[in-house]
Amino acid sequence: QVYLVESGGGLVQAGGSLRLSCAASRLAASTLTMAWFRQAPGKEREFVAAISWSGRNTDYADSLKGRFTISRDNAENTVYVQMNSLKPEDTAVYYCAARKVRWIDYVGTERDEYDYWGQGTQVTVSS
């Protein structure tokens, strides 16, 4: 079992920045592809960003490229997403997700391929 705990959410003004963190349970960070998804009220959960276990490969939702940056620290069993130039439409609950992989450079963007999820952290961007 992999346990994921997100932190770093909060209220920020439009144009501001936040960094979300996701801590994975001990011994679980290895060979995990990890990702961030988000869900706004009344909407489907959507892909935000993903990073391979090696850290060499990343992928982003097209609409977020240039504003969001995903990174990871395997020594700390943690993945991050730095969110800059935030907009009110970025308001959502942000979820960390993980899946075990054999290929360390694999990056997945589909919600259904992730087996483990955190509880989510609320991000609210005021106009």
Side-chain angles (χ1 to χ4, degrees):
Q1 182 67 16
V2 177
Y3 298 96
L4 304 172
V5 179
E6 303 98 334
S7 61
L11 174 64
V12 63
Q13 288 189 331
S17 299
L18 280 175
R19 188 177 81 154
L20 305 182
S21 301
C22 172
S25 55
R26 212 164 197 268
L27 302 181
S30 59
T31 65
L32 288 177
T33 284
M34 299 187 73
W36 289 94
F37 289 77
R38 68 184 184 183
Q39 188 166 16
K43 295 189 176 181
E44 297 273 328
R45 192 170 298 189
E46 65 177 2
F47 171 72
V48 172
I51 188 166
S52 63
W53 177 84
S54 66
R56 284 191 286 265
N57 292 336
T58 58
D59 202 351
Y60 297 90
D62 288 341
S63 62
L64 302 178
K65 289 179 181 177
R67 294 197 298 123
F68 287 23
T69 303
I70 190 169
S71 60
R72 68 187 295 159
D73 182 343
N74 286 349
E76 297 294 328
N77 296 346
T78 303
V79 65
Y80 306 94
V81 62
Q82 176 68 42
M83 308 185 295
N84 297 328
S85 302
L86 284 163
K87 305 175 182 179
E89 51 263 44
D90 294 318
T91 295
V93 177
Y94 284 70
Y95 296 91
C96 178
R99 61 162 289 175
K100 294 182 180 180
V101 295
R102 291 185 177 181
W103 182 37
I104 62 173
D105 290 325
Y106 178 79
V107 175
T109 64
E110 298 298 322
R111 181 182 61 191
D112 291 345
E113 67 179 290
Y114 284 88
D115 301 310
Y116 307 103
W117 293 84
Q119 293 299 307
T121 185
Q122 177 70 46
V123 171
T124 303
V125 184
S126 63
S127 56

